[in-house]
């Protein structure tokens, strides 16, 4: 049986809840939007969006990208239309990173992860995805063995670990965990 705390009503309900606003969370939101999901909420515990993806150099190893002629893998190239549609500006070159057998890494013109995250974030917002920062997910809410939402600390302060209140956010279509950052 679900714990009694998981049976309390939700403060709000969305079609999809995504936890994490880096490359993975943004890609999940984009894919869901393209699949017809309308009410998407993307949560991040930090004050700014983008997570570690904003801080990295923004290099993306994408085999079969339009700037590369050889074939190395399948499916990675599928990200290229998303990057174009969202307005990500890439340099007109492909570089080889350490450990790679061939050049396959695309570089944003802004030479940072922000050069990828910011355009995608702006495109998603323009297309109806809701973003809420300073929202620390502290538990997955379950009923009948299925994830039905998340419990969050609202107005989370990462510097001292405090928050103003807890809130229960429900999801009709599931919860995508797209966290990781810093390794």
């Amino acid at each position: 049986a679900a714990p009694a705390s998981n049976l309390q009503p939700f403060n709000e309900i969305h079609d999809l809840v995504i936890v994490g606003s880096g490359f993975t969370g943004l890609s999940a939101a984009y894919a869901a939007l393209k699949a017809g999901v309308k009410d998407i909420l993307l949560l991040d515990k930090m004050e700014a969006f983008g997570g570690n993806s904003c801080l990295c150099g923004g290099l993306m190893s994408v085999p079969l990208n339009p700037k590369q002629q050889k074939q190395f893998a399948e499916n990675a190239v599928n990200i290229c239309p998303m990057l174009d549609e969202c307005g990500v500006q890439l340099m007109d070159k492909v570089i080889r990173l350490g450990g790679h057998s061939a050049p396959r890494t695309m570089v944003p013109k802004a030479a940072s992860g922000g050069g990828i995250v910011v355009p995608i974030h702006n495109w998603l917002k323009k297309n109806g995805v809701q973003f809420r920062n300073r929202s620390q997910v502290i538990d997955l809410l379950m009923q009948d063995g299925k994830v039905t939402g998340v419990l969050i600390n609202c107005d989370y302060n990462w510097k001292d670990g405090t928050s103003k209140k807890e809130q229960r956010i429900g999801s009709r279509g599931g919860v995508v965990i797209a966290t990781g950052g810093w390794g």
Side-chain angles (χ1 to χ4, degrees):
S5 64
N6 280 348
L7 299 177
Q8 297 172 7
F10 295 115
N11 299 93
E12 59 189 85
I13 299 176
H14 299 274
D15 290 339
L16 181 64
V17 174
I18 299 171
V19 183
S21 65
F23 295 146
T24 304
L26 296 174
S27 297
Y30 178 88
L33 205 57
K34 288 298 190 175
V37 179
K38 300 289 183 212
D39 182 10
I40 302 168
L41 175 64
L42 199 145
L43 302 169
D44 197 292
K45 69 180 178 185
M46 301 305 284
E47 294 171 345
F49 295 105
N52 188 50
S53 298
C54 267
L55 305 175
C56 75
L59 304 176
M60 295 174 293
S61 296
V62 180
L64 300 176
N65 71 67
K67 296 172 177 50
Q68 180 196 44
Q69 299 300 312
K70 292 187 177 182
Q71 296 183 1
F72 293 96
E74 297 176 13
N75 298 323
V77 73
N78 295 339
I79 195 165
C80 293
M82 178 187 83
L83 298 173
D84 289 341
E85 183 173 8
C86 293
V88 174
Q89 299 293 311
L90 299 169
M91 291 184 187
D92 194 23
K93 67 178 180 177
V94 178
I95 65 172
R96 179 180 174 189
L97 295 179
H100 289 191
S101 61
R104 65 175 67 108
T105 302
M106 300 187 311
V107 182
K109 286 185 178 177
S112 76
I116 300 165
V117 169
V118 171
I120 296 173
H121 177 261
N122 290 339
W123 188 91
L124 291 170
K125 278 181 68 174
K126 185 177 89 176
N127 285 277
V129 174
Q130 301 169 61
F131 288 80
R132 191 170 308 156
N133 62 339
R134 297 187 64 203
S135 299
Q136 180 194 35
V137 174
I138 54 176
D139 203 0
L140 295 176
L141 302 176
M142 311 225 4
Q143 187 171 0
D144 299 325
K146 296 181 182 176
V147 175
T148 58
V150 294
L151 179 64
I152 68 168
N153 280 328
C154 300
D155 295 319
Y156 174 71
N157 182 337
W158 65 272
K159 295 173 188 169
D160 63 12
T162 61
S163 64
K164 293 189 178 176
K165 66 178 180 177
E166 289 184 354
Q167 189 176 36
R168 301 168 58 78
I169 300 175
S171 179
R172 294 178 207 53
V175 175
V176 175
I177 305 296
T179 61
W182 298 109

